[in-house]
């Protein structure tokens, strides 16, 4: 039966000047131009793969990829390298952070350091046992920085983690002596995090005024000379140039012991000198991730740093990010609002310690784009 309902006129005004025929007629020319740009992107990317130390090629590819259609070509190549060499299965890792006070004075200008905001040794040790009981095999132990001063404390934590069946990764900045590094490695430390964060002397002096400018480079060199696997973290959006990032990647690829490079998208924190600065664009980080996949050794993991929202995963993955570990269960002193609502569920933990389990969310999101979380299939997210 035909409805007698009267259809109301469209509330939208007519679109003067929109000529569908002209748009369709222009498709051929637009497609040809896009094909030429895509071909150029593929050609430059192929040259860069053959000559990853060529800064001019990397800069040219970065400039071309500002256009999303060209970036899609770059992302596709980066993803194919990722899929072939490291795969699409992620391993959930625990994070216990922060464990020790940061003694760097003055503090880094982007860091929201809060007095008393760290876990005690007793809380950290209990958290290790709890994480192992939830089926995790990897744990990141994050502390503040005390130059040359955390050898003994870190060694006790590594021994406890290994005894609990965990593989610990230590992120304490340049806080270890050369002898301390050897002892940590012998005791079962799986890797050391040697965050570079700033790439030029001028930028380092502005961002990290309380830290020796060569301390992190020395830590990286010590790990290399001792044969200790290490990871590094780079912050995007703190005033650096793209040339600085690309030169940094070129230098990193020379290290045999490098296992992982993570990118942190700058987030201004209240109460810091950079509180009024602009947040870094996720598009900028995605293009860096794709270029890193082409420049770094193909088996290198490319991660997102701890604390970033799960919403950032799809673009990062589409740009070629991934491989290995992903921060999934985080134990911290208290709920500081760092994780938005809906990012995870709470687990029972040590007194005074908040534990957020992001595995259900991560497993579900990864499954949506053809990836997986080891030992945590998507059905467990229900």
């Amino acid at each position: 039966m035909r409805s007698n309902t009267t259809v109301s006129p469209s509330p939208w005004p007519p679109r003067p000047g929109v000529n569908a025929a002209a748009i369709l007629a222009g498709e051929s020319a637009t497609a040809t131009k896009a094909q030429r740009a895509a071909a150029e992107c593929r050609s430059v990317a192929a040259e860069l793969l053959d000559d990853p130390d060529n800064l001019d090629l990397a800069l040219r590819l970065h400039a071309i990829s500002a256009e999303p259609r060209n970036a899609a070509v770059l992302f596709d190549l980066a993803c194919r390298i990722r899929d072939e060499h490291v795969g699409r299965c992620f391993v959930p890792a625990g994070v216990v952070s922060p464990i020790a006070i940061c003694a760097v004075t003055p503090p880094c200008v982007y860091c929201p350091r809060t007095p008393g905001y760290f876990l005690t040794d007793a809380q950290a040790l209990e958290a290790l046992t709890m994480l192992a009981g939830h089926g995790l095999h990897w744990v990141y132990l994050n502390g503040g920085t005390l130059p040359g001063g955390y050898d003994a404390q870190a060694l006790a934590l590594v021994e406890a983690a290994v005894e609990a069946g965990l593989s610990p990764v230590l992120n304490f900045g340049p806080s270890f002596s050369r002898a301390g590094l050897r002892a940590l490695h012998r005791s079962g430390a799986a890797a050391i995090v040697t965050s570079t964060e700033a790439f030029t002397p001028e930028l380092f002096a502005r961002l990290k005024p309380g830290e020796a400018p060569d301390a992190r480079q020395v830590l990286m060199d010590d790990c290399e000379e001792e044969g200790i696997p290490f990871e590094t973290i780079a912050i995007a959006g703190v005033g650096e140039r793209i040339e600085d990032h690309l030169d940094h990647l070129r230098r990193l690829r020379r290290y045999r012991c490098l296992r992982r490079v993570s990118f942190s998208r700058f987030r201004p924190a209240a109460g810091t000198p950079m509180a009024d600065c602009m947040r870094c664009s996720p598009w900028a980080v995605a293009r860096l991730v794709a270029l890193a996949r082409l420049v770094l050794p193909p088996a290198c993991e490319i991660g997102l740093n701890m604390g970033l929202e799960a919403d950032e995963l799809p673009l990062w993955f589409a740009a070629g990010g991934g491989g290995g570990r992903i921060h999934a269960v985080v134990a911290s002193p208290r709920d500081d609002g760092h994780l938005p609502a809906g990012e995870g569920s709470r687990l029972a933990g040590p007194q005074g310690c908040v534990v957020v389990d992001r595995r259900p969310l991560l497993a579900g999101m990864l499954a949506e784009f053809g990836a997986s979380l080891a030992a945590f299939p998507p059905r467990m997210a229900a």
Side-chain angles (χ1 to χ4, degrees):
M1 179 180 296
R2 180 176 297 178
S3 172
N4 293 323
T5 303
T6 302
V7 178
S8 300
S10 170
W12 302 105
R15 296 174 293 174
V18 177
N19 188 324
I23 291 174
L24 293 174
E27 279 188 351
S28 177
T30 302
T32 301
K33 182 179 179 181
Q35 288 167 356
R36 286 198 299 267
E40 180 187 12
C41 191
R42 279 190 291 269
S43 175
V44 176
E47 290 183 67
L48 184 60
L49 283 171
D50 289 336
D51 186 11
D53 284 325
N54 192 319
L55 182 59
D56 289 337
L57 285 174
L59 285 169
R60 185 178 167 196
L61 188 56
H62 181 266
I64 295 170
S65 69
E67 164 59 48
R69 284 178 295 191
N70 298 337
V73 176
L74 172 61
F75 290 1
D76 177 66
L77 177 57
C79 284
R80 282 189 277 146
I81 295 171
R82 189 252 340 271
D83 291 351
E84 179 180 351
H85 293 278
V86 297
R88 293 181 166 215
C89 184
F90 294 83
V91 177
V95 179
V96 182
S97 174
I99 298 172
I101 191 171
C102 184
V104 173
T105 304
C108 302
V109 297
Y110 53 80
C111 180
R113 190 165 79 189
T114 304
Y117 182 70
F118 61 91
L119 295 169
T120 65
D121 288 350
Q123 287 173 319
L125 293 172
E126 188 177 343
L128 291 174
T129 303
M130 183 271 296
L131 292 175
H134 281 278
L136 296 170
H137 300 290
W138 289 86
V139 63
Y140 281 78
L141 303 174
N142 297 341
T145 297
L146 179 63
Y150 280 141
D151 286 356
Q153 184 175 359
L155 183 60
L157 289 167
V158 165
E159 291 172 343
V162 171
E163 185 176 351
L166 297 167
S167 294
V169 179
L170 298 173
N171 183 6
F172 282 73
S175 299
F176 307 128
S177 66
R178 185 74 169 256
L181 280 176
R182 294 193 195 103
L184 291 168
H185 186 50
R186 285 195 304 267
S187 299
I192 303 294
V193 179
T194 63
S195 304
T196 41
E197 297 176 341
F199 315 124
T200 66
E202 298 77 17
L203 186 60
F204 192 98
R206 181 164 63 84
L207 296 179
K208 307 175 80 65
E211 196 172 303
D214 63 342
R216 292 171 183 265
Q217 183 66 55
V218 168
L219 177 59
M220 197 180 303
D221 293 340
D222 286 349
C223 286
E224 179 75 2
E225 293 170 12
E226 294 292 336
I228 301 172
F230 70 88
E231 308 178 3
T232 189
I233 301 170
I235 301 178
V238 287
E240 77 286 356
R241 305 173 306 159
I242 184 57
E243 291 90 340
D244 300 329
H245 273 294
L246 295 175
D247 185 61
H248 177 59
L249 291 173
R250 287 195 312 164
R251 287 185 281 112
L252 284 176
R253 68 182 303 275
R254 300 190 178 100
Y255 287 94
R256 295 174 297 104
C257 292
L258 176 68
R259 297 294 181 266
R260 179 184 178 94
V261 176
S262 293
F263 290 94
S264 179
R265 185 161 72 94
F266 170 66
R267 177 207 305 268
T272 68
M274 296 187 73
D276 294 328
C277 294
M278 297 296 291
R279 175 111 198 237
C280 177
S281 160
W283 186 243
V285 175
R287 291 159 66 207
L288 274 175
V289 165
L291 285 166
R293 184 61 76 190
L294 270 63
V295 171
L296 293 172
C300 184
E301 298 178 14
I302 298 180
L304 280 175
N305 196 28
M306 184 192 109
L308 297 181
E309 292 91 342
D311 289 350
E312 304 196 33
L313 281 176
L315 183 56
W316 164 76
F317 184 82
R325 300 176 290 280
I326 188 168
H327 299 127
V329 185
V330 182
S332 59
R334 64 176 181 269
D335 185 5
D336 61 357
H338 198 53
L339 288 173
E343 283 265 329
S345 57
R346 301 301 170 90
L347 298 177
Q351 181 69 30
C353 177
V354 174
V355 184
V356 178
D357 187 357
R358 306 173 76 192
R359 288 177 296 177
L361 177 67
L362 294 175
M365 293 191 74
L366 289 169
E368 288 179 353
F369 39 86
S372 61
L373 193 63
F376 205 86
R379 65 175 180 275
M380 294 180 68

